[in-house]
């Protein structure tokens, strides 16, 4: 595990020394900020729940996001208790707000993808693809900002894909039938 941490820390230092620019130093902390505490994901779910046409997608996304939150923030972070990379390596400069929890897995990444995966699977591509692109940028911002190791982001992504796909497979068909009886359930 120590050699993996060292390899990942080396990668984060490479980003700091070779990729960081003044422009990205403003954009990347902002991308993290918009999903602090899963706020962007939560607002997206609320919008979907209020949007009558996609209320069934909102319920599905809520199940995915809730499942992801329990797995990532309640269980795994507290079991693994991985130290943040900027704490383990004092040469790594954190950009943005100082997180108050453990590093593995990334909550920002997990919450954004938990909703984006559902949107991609349950909505027209014009909504799903931008949601996945924005989630990818949020995930990359966690690395750029020095807040997470790459495996923190990868782990959160995999958990979110799992919760999103399981919600799509088991919740969406049941909830869609209830919300859309007699209506069109086709994706565009």
């Amino acid at each position: 595990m120590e050699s993996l941490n060292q390899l990942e820390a080396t990668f984060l230092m490479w980003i700091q020394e070779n990729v960081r620019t003044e422009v990205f130093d403003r954009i990347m902390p902002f991308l993290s900020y918009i999903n602090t505490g899963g706020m962007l994901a939560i607002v997206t779910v609320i919008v979907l729940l209020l949007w009558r046409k996609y209320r069934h997608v909102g319920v599905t996304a809520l199940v995915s996001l809730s499942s992801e939150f329990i797995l990532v923030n309640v269980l795994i972070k507290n079991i693994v208790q991985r130290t943040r990379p900027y704490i383990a390596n004092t040469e790594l400069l954190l950009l943005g707000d100082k997180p108050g929890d453990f590093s593995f897995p990334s909550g920002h990444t997990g919450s954004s993808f938990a909703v984006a995966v559902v949107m991609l699977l349950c909505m027209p591509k014009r909504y799903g693809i931008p949601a996945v692109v924005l989630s990818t940028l949020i995930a990359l911002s966690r690395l750029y900002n020095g807040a997470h190791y790459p495996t923190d982001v990868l782990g959160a992504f995999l958990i979110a894909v799992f919760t999103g796909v399981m919600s799509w497979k088991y919740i969406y068909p049941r909830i869609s039938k209830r919300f859309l009886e007699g209506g069109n359930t086709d994706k565009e």
Side-chain angles (χ1 to χ4, degrees), residues 3 12 29 42 51 66 90 92 104 128-129 145-146 149 151 155 157-158 164-166 171 178:
S3 60
L12 294 176
I42 293 166
W51 191 355
S66 299
T90 56
L92 183 62
F104 181 85
I129 291 173
N145 295 340
Y149 292 103
T151 52
F157 168 76
L158 294 173
V165 169
M166 290 296 106
I171 303 300
R178 185 174 292 163

Side-chain angles (χ1 to χ4, degrees), residues 3-162:
S3 60
L4 177 62
N5 281 350
Q6 192 58 40
L7 181 65
E8 291 185 278
T10 301
F11 177 70
L12 294 176
M13 285 303 298
W14 180 84
I15 290 173
Q16 178 174 293
E17 294 167 359
N18 297 291
V19 180
R20 284 188 178 177
T21 66
E22 278 188 46
V23 173
F24 285 141
D25 284 0
R26 289 191 184 107
I27 293 170
M28 293 307 214
F30 174 76
L31 286 168
S32 285
Y33 174 76
I34 62 173
N35 202 37
T36 298
M39 196 51 60
L40 178 64
I42 293 166
V43 168
T44 303
V45 167
I46 291 169
V47 168
L48 291 170
L49 289 170
L50 293 174
W51 191 355
R52 188 168 186 255
K53 180 177 180 180
Y54 293 114
R55 191 166 291 150
H56 57 297
V57 178
V59 172
T60 307
L62 178 61
V63 171
S64 177
L65 181 61
S66 299
S67 302
E68 177 276 334
F69 175 79
I70 291 167
L71 288 170
V72 168
N73 295 81
V74 176
L75 296 175
I76 299 172
K77 275 186 186 272
N78 292 306
I79 291 169
V80 175
Q81 296 186 1
R82 188 178 197 186
T83 303
R84 296 275 178 170
Y86 64 89
I87 294 172
N89 180 0
T90 56
E91 292 178 29
L92 183 62
L93 304 175
L94 174 68
L95 297 179
D97 295 335
K98 190 174 186 178
D101 58 358
F102 296 108
S103 192
F104 181 85
S106 167
H108 284 74
T109 302
S111 62
S112 62
F113 273 107
V115 175
V117 167
V118 169
M119 292 176 69
L120 184 67
L121 294 171
C122 301
M123 297 178 76
K125 289 179 181 161
R126 70 176 181 265
Y127 301 117
I129 291 173
V132 169
V133 169
L134 181 56
S135 294
T136 302
L137 292 173
I138 289 169
L140 291 173
S141 78
R142 303 310 286 158
L143 300 174
Y144 184 93
N145 295 340
H148 283 286
Y149 292 103
T151 52
D152 299 341
V153 170
L154 177 62
F157 168 76
L158 294 173
I159 292 165
V161 168
F162 174 77

Side-chain angles (χ1 to χ4, degrees), residues 165-186:
V165 169
M166 290 296 106
S167 296
W168 167 71
K169 184 173 180 161
Y170 294 107
I171 303 300
Y172 183 72
R174 290 168 178 82
I175 211 75
S176 293
K177 194 183 292 185
R178 185 174 292 163
F179 277 90
L180 299 174
E181 281 187 323
N184 183 5
T185 59
D186 292 339

